Amino acid sequence: MRVPLSWLREYVDLPAGESGRDVADKLVALGLEVETVEQLGADLKGPLVVGRVLEIEELEGFKKPIRFCKVDVGDANGTGEPQEIVCGARNFEVDDKVVVILPGGVLPGPFEIAERKTYGRVSRGMICSARELGMGDDHDGIIVLPIEAQIGADAIELLGLIDEVLDIAVTPDRGYCLSMRGVAREAAIAYGQPLRDPALLDVPDANSYGYPVLVEDTAGCDRFVARTVVGIDPEAPSPLWLQRRVQMGGMRPISLVVDVTNYVMLELGQPLHAYDRTRLQGAIVVRRAHEGETLTTLDDAERKPAREDLLICDNRGPIGLAGVMGGASTEIGVETTDIVIEAAHFDPVSIARTARRHKLGSEASRRFERGVDPEAARAAAQRAVDLLAALGGERAQAEAGVTEVDAPREMVRIVLAADHAAKVAGVAYPRETVAQRLQEVGCSVEGIDELTVVPPTWRPDLTDPNDLAEEVIRLEGYEQVPSTLPQVPAGRGLTADQRRRRRIGRALAGAGYAEVLDYPFVGQSAFDDLGLAEDDARRRTVVLVNPISEEEPALRTTLLPGLLGTLRRNLGRGNGDLALFESGVVFLPNASTPRAPQLAVDRRPTDEELTGLAAALPDQPQRVAVVLAGEREHSGWWGKGRPQVWADAIEAARVVADAVGVELTVRQDQYEPWHPGRCAALVATAADGTERVVGHAGELHPRVLKALHLPERVAAMELDLDLLTADLDGEHLPQAGHISSYPVATQDVALVVDASVPAATVEAALVEGAGALLESVRLFDVYTGAQVAEGGKSLAYALRFRAPDRTLTVEEATAARDAAVALATERTGAVLRGA
């Protein structure tokens, strides 16, 4: 809303020296958002005067029409002689009154005016257009003033060229400030001055001989006022003051009728619409749209109203989208003399939906959807009638008929404890202060300790006690509310689960992995790329009602799609050696999950509703996943590098398990999207001996890599942290082992087993067979070749033995090794190599 300071002063007695910036500061303190204060005419300097065109000489021989004019400017030029001016505009004639700037003057820009020779003549000044004076963008012709303008008079004052305009960003709850009346009310409160309300007019009562109106949908239109003005001179211009105020309000002057309706809307906040009465056929009807109806609006677009749209109709059908835009069939034309003025109150939600449905925002819909004062309709219609009768020519007059359709409205009453605002703000507000502030915004207040408050009709946003408390607080001053930091209870740190997740992140980062955060949204195409079967449980997703992207409408059930997408982007940017990890939740819908209840927005949910909402949530287990590509160890002078393979993905899983103090068992498996021959199941063993698969690791299937445009070998791992730590009670920290002062005894053993036997199975047998003296076991060589039978492989292990209380003898270490080999032979068919 653009608010000219000169216009605002008509309704509030502002201090004489108060600038636009001063007023803006006051309004900002009350909660209004004043974006800018525009200084109109700041670089304009006279002499700028009214002149009368005496002679016009058409100059020939130039590419465009040029006129050499003599203009009477009275004594403004110091000589009284006609001023000679060269001008290219052609919209004025001899004896017309125009705006002339004389040499020495400065136009906005700034653009200094001086005598100069042009087109073979000397031009001593300029005849000005609206754009040259900073009044708007109209540059089609110069300004032609009314005949009564006095020659030589100061045009700066006449046109109101020097002013300050406050540009206010009106929030949705302050619709009343989309008018001079609303802003003036706020300014009156800010300065403690009375308001001269422009809506306080003498309005005749409704009678039976006004223009007929029928409102069929009183829910959509609860008030409709119609007034008629006849005998308007179609050529009657809008006076300069009216045009200037419409311009400063951000609108373009068009014609007297349109300018008057726009002026009243800016002044009172009530949108108006004018119909050519001769083009109306029958009574005006307000109703919802019928199937198949069409309407051509004032922008010459043919529209098909939806059944929910509220329409203005006559006997022919629709003649306007109610509260949004009128129809072309009853548009005010160049010959219109008789008009019907509409001042109505429409349902805000209905108007907002219609404007958005047709993508047709207008100044009227902008006000209606924020809430217009229903009591302003009568005053706005009267104001428009008075202006048109006064400015529309000698024959213009208002007819005596007054039509008013008014549906009953329920009066809002709010019960407010007198100390409620004080409790909300933490500031003591006496009962008298609360009542005074509420009365200043237009409320009626009754009661002592418990107040009964009736908000004014122009404040539909005041609906509950907190709204009223906000009014008291803002008018008393937000700066009076103390800044108090919330008291955080001592002793509450991270939970055991949070500390565990952070420890996992630090462990992976320390192992060379970089953490990433991906969007938790996927589409079915991501599962197609991973090669998941149609009945795979991971394809069952929670689908969003309003997704950010229609291509990714569901919540993820695995971390791999996001990680692989990040891997692909980094590879495309030249980062070839990557080790990435992500920790986060996935969303697993349950077939037995009930439907979420629809919660009300006007109250706190009940305990039953909150319980139902919690039950409707999907399972959200915590996962960690890694992806690897490129080289794990880089090439250099020391030799060839080593690529990242399935073993590195398994090692990442062990890093995670070690960080939480859980031991993993690795077993061969087949699970999409991993390569069937390079996939491991990660198994954790519970205290009761039961085993559960907590994740998978290995290299991805070649078809998956091809679908995702990834390198030939990419390794990945995904672990379910909730399953991994299910047996841990609270925070389970890995315990450091006892450091023995006794020496270690190392025994190496090479076992030949069938190629199908997993090394992990052999290792488990060695550990169990060696007993308590075994400190560690490490696989250091895998061999297949001429010295091993076909279909077999040699696994070489380094066994470390140590006793906590003595130095082991060679016999003790050998006996433990032999026991380990014996159990491995029994379980896996292993044969000691070389035996």
Side-chain angles (χ1 to χ4, degrees):
M1 177 67 189
R2 290 173 56 84
V3 180
L5 194 60
S6 60
W7 197 354
L8 186 63
R9 289 183 183 276
E10 290 192 4
Y11 311 127
V12 182
D13 290 328
L14 303 177
E18 203 76 348
S19 68
R21 176 52 59 191
D22 297 331
V23 176
D25 291 341
K26 290 280 191 179
L27 295 179
V28 168
L30 292 184
L32 294 183
E33 298 180 18
V34 182
E35 293 189 329
T36 60
V37 178
E38 184 179 352
Q39 304 289 332
L40 300 183
D43 50 1
L44 177 64
K45 178 183 177 183
L48 184 74
V49 299
V50 176
R52 182 172 69 90
V53 180
L54 300 176
E55 299 178 14
I56 298 177
E57 178 185 352
E58 303 289 345
L59 302 183
E60 305 292 340
F62 300 102
K63 293 182 179 180
K64 61 179 182 179
I66 298 296
R67 307 168 112 186
F68 181 67
C69 309
K70 291 185 177 181
V71 184
D72 180 9
V73 295
D75 295 331
N77 58 5
T79 65
E81 297 295 324
Q83 201 76 8
E84 297 177 339
I85 300 174
V86 174
C87 182
R90 308 191 63 78
N91 67 317
F92 63 95
E93 303 295 339
V94 172
D95 287 335
D96 280 348
K97 300 287 182 66
V98 294
V99 179
V100 178
I101 186 165
L102 301 176
V106 180
L107 290 175
F111 178 62
E112 188 172 349
I113 304 301
E115 290 187 7
R116 64 190 182 97
K117 188 173 183 179
T118 180
Y119 298 102
R121 302 296 178 94
V122 176
S123 182
R124 296 179 173 85
M126 178 186 292
I127 302 176
C128 301
S129 68
R131 190 169 72 177
E132 289 163 345
L133 294 175
M135 296 175 62
D137 295 329
D138 187 5
H139 198 55
D140 294 338
I142 56 90
I143 297 175
V144 177
L145 300 173
I147 193 66
E148 62 270 14
Q150 293 184 2
I151 298 172
D154 184 0
I156 294 179
E157 181 179 352
L158 177 67
L159 298 175
L161 297 178
I162 296 179
D163 207 337
E164 295 180 271
V165 178
L166 283 62
D167 193 350
I168 301 176
V170 179
T171 53
D173 61 329
R174 297 285 182 86
Y176 67 98
C177 284
L178 287 171
S179 67
M180 293 299 304
R181 180 193 185 202
V183 176
R185 180 174 284 106
E186 295 293 305
I189 296 173
Y191 285 94
Q193 296 291 333
L195 170 70
R196 291 186 288 274
D197 192 343
L200 295 180
L201 302 174
D202 292 330
V203 182
D205 294 332
N207 50 55
S208 60
Y209 39 93
Y211 197 89
V213 175
L214 173 63
V215 178
E216 295 183 358
D217 191 326
T218 55
C221 175
D222 56 11
R223 170 163 287 189
F224 195 107
V225 175
R227 301 289 299 273
T228 304
V229 181
V230 298
I232 297 174
D233 181 0
E235 297 182 357
S238 300
L240 290 175
W241 65 267
L242 179 61
Q243 293 186 45
R244 186 57 178 151
R245 285 192 171 174
V246 169
Q247 285 175 335
M248 288 191 290
M251 307 181 76
R252 182 170 61 90
I254 297 175
S255 65
L256 176 62
V257 175
V258 175
D259 294 348
V260 164
T261 56
N262 286 337
Y263 175 83
V264 174
M265 178 181 68
L266 293 173
E267 183 180 49
L268 301 181
Q270 169 67 55
L272 303 175
H273 187 70
Y275 302 92
D276 186 330
R277 191 172 75 167
T278 62
R279 302 174 73 176
L280 285 171
Q281 296 185 12
I284 293 175
V285 180
V286 184
R287 60 170 173 80
R288 298 290 173 176
H290 296 162
E291 192 69 35
E293 288 185 313
T294 61
L295 167 67
T296 301
T297 47
L298 290 174
D299 58 357
D300 292 327
E302 184 175 298
R303 306 185 184 276
K304 296 180 180 179
R307 293 292 298 271
E308 296 82 9
D309 289 337
L310 194 66
L311 299 182
I312 309 297
C313 308
D314 63 5
N315 290 346
R316 296 166 297 179
I319 59 173
L321 280 174
V324 179
M325 185 173 287
S329 61
T330 57
E331 180 180 8
I332 303 298
V334 295
E335 298 180 355
T336 301
T337 59
D338 302 344
I339 67 167
V340 175
I341 295 175
E342 163 205 306
H345 182 260
F346 300 112
D347 174 55
V349 174
S350 177
I351 301 305
R353 289 176 176 171
T354 297
R356 284 156 180 75
R357 185 180 296 120
H358 295 277
K359 298 179 181 179
L360 190 62
S362 64
E363 290 289 341
S365 67
R366 183 172 169 230
R367 286 165 171 80
F368 278 126
E369 65 189 25
R370 285 166 171 77
V372 170
D373 181 6
E375 298 300 325
R378 300 173 71 246
Q382 183 64 46
R383 179 71 164 137
V385 164
D386 293 343
L387 287 171
L388 288 171
L391 305 174
E394 296 180 356
R395 299 178 58 191
Q397 61 178 353
E399 288 192 342
V402 178
T403 302
E404 185 174 341
V405 179
D406 190 9
R409 287 180 298 276
E410 183 178 353
M411 183 177 295
V412 178
R413 294 181 182 273
I414 305 171
V415 177
L416 174 74
D419 62 348
H420 180 69
K423 290 180 179 179
V424 171
V427 178
Y429 297 126
R431 185 267 177 201
E432 293 74 16
T433 299
V434 173
Q436 175 190 345
R437 289 304 190 183
L438 293 178
Q439 289 168 351
E440 285 178 348
V441 299
C443 300
S444 66
V445 182
E446 297 177 353
I448 304 299
D449 294 331
E450 187 174 82
L451 307 179
T452 300
V453 181
V454 179
T457 55
W458 59 82
R459 292 299 301 272
D461 59 303
L462 302 181
T463 59
D464 59 62
N466 285 331
D467 295 331
L468 301 178
E470 181 184 1
E471 292 300 299
V472 175
I473 295 168
R474 77 178 182 90
L475 296 183
E476 281 295 298
Y478 289 123
E479 70 278 2
Q480 302 299 325
V481 179
S483 297
T484 306
L485 293 176
Q487 298 297 319
V488 180
R492 293 186 182 180
L494 299 176
T495 65
D497 187 53
Q498 289 170 330
R499 286 193 292 270
R500 187 181 300 126
R501 291 203 300 270
R502 291 194 178 190
R503 198 162 58 250
I504 290 171
R506 287 194 294 268
L508 286 171
Y513 291 83
E515 185 174 12
V516 297
L517 296 175
D518 295 305
Y519 282 116
F521 309 115
V522 294
Q524 287 298 321
S525 61
F527 302 131
D528 295 338
D529 292 339
L530 294 180
L532 304 187
E534 291 297 327
D535 59 349
D536 194 298
R538 286 169 288 181
R539 284 186 177 271
R540 293 185 59 248
T541 59
V542 178
V543 180
L544 303 178
V545 175
N546 54 343
I548 296 176
S549 170
E550 294 296 336
E551 296 178 356
E552 295 178 328
L555 293 171
R556 65 189 177 191
T557 55
T558 169
L559 300 179
L560 291 181
L563 267 176
L564 292 172
T566 301
L567 180 71
R568 183 172 61 247
R569 283 193 298 275
N570 278 273
L571 290 171
R573 294 171 183 173
N575 300 322
D577 303 321
L578 294 164
L580 308 176
F581 85 94
E582 180 178 11
S583 178
V585 296
V586 297
F587 306 85
L588 307 178
N590 193 326
S592 61
T593 299
R595 186 179 182 86
Q598 293 290 330
L599 301 182
V601 298
D602 59 346
R603 58 174 173 79
R604 181 188 182 277
T606 64
D607 293 340
E608 292 76 12
E609 288 174 333
L610 291 175
T611 301
L613 190 64
L617 296 176
D619 294 335
Q620 300 175 51
Q622 189 80 22
R623 299 274 181 91
V624 63
V626 304
V627 292
L628 306 104
E631 291 186 336
R632 186 65 175 171
E633 298 173 0
H634 295 295
S635 303
W637 58 265
W638 51 84
K640 190 176 181 181
R642 183 179 69 80
Q644 306 199 87
V645 294
W646 58 269
D648 296 297
I650 294 174
E651 183 59 28
R654 287 198 171 103
V655 169
V656 173
D658 290 344
V660 296
V662 175
E663 187 174 348
L664 283 180
T665 301
V666 179
R667 294 177 182 165
Q668 188 175 4
D669 199 4
Q670 293 187 19
Y671 191 68
E672 292 83 3
W674 282 273
H675 190 297
R678 300 170 186 166
C679 175
L682 308 171
V683 180
T685 303
D688 60 1
T690 59
E691 296 180 338
R692 58 182 179 273
V693 176
V694 296
H696 289 83
E699 293 184 23
L700 297 181
H701 199 289
R703 288 196 299 268
V704 174
L705 300 179
K706 184 177 180 180
L708 293 173
H709 306 287
L710 293 173
E712 292 183 359
R713 300 189 74 171
V714 173
M717 178 276 292
E718 185 169 18
L719 268 176
D720 189 321
L721 294 179
D722 289 353
L723 286 177
L724 182 68
T725 60
D727 296 323
L728 303 183
D729 185 13
E731 186 172 15
H732 183 77
L733 294 175
Q735 299 299 314
H738 174 70
I739 300 176
S740 175
S741 59
Y742 296 98
V744 66
T746 302
Q747 297 272 356
D748 292 345
V749 61
L751 301 176
V752 178
V753 296
D754 189 81
S756 63
V757 177
T761 304
V762 178
E763 182 179 318
L766 290 173
V767 171
E768 184 178 344
L773 294 179
L774 182 67
E775 184 177 79
S776 68
V777 58
R778 178 174 60 88
L779 176 66
F780 66 86
D781 185 50
V782 179
Y783 174 76
T784 58
Q787 300 179 24
V788 177
E790 185 177 352
K793 61 183 176 182
S794 172
L795 304 176
Y797 292 91
L799 307 178
R800 291 168 57 91
F801 299 96
R802 196 194 314 255
D805 56 351
R806 68 189 187 280
T807 300
L808 291 177
T809 64
V810 174
E811 290 78 12
E812 287 177 310
T814 302
R817 183 203 67 179
D818 292 343
V821 171
L823 188 58
T825 299
E826 178 186 339
R827 289 190 177 176
T828 66
V831 177
L832 195 63
R833 185 176 174 185

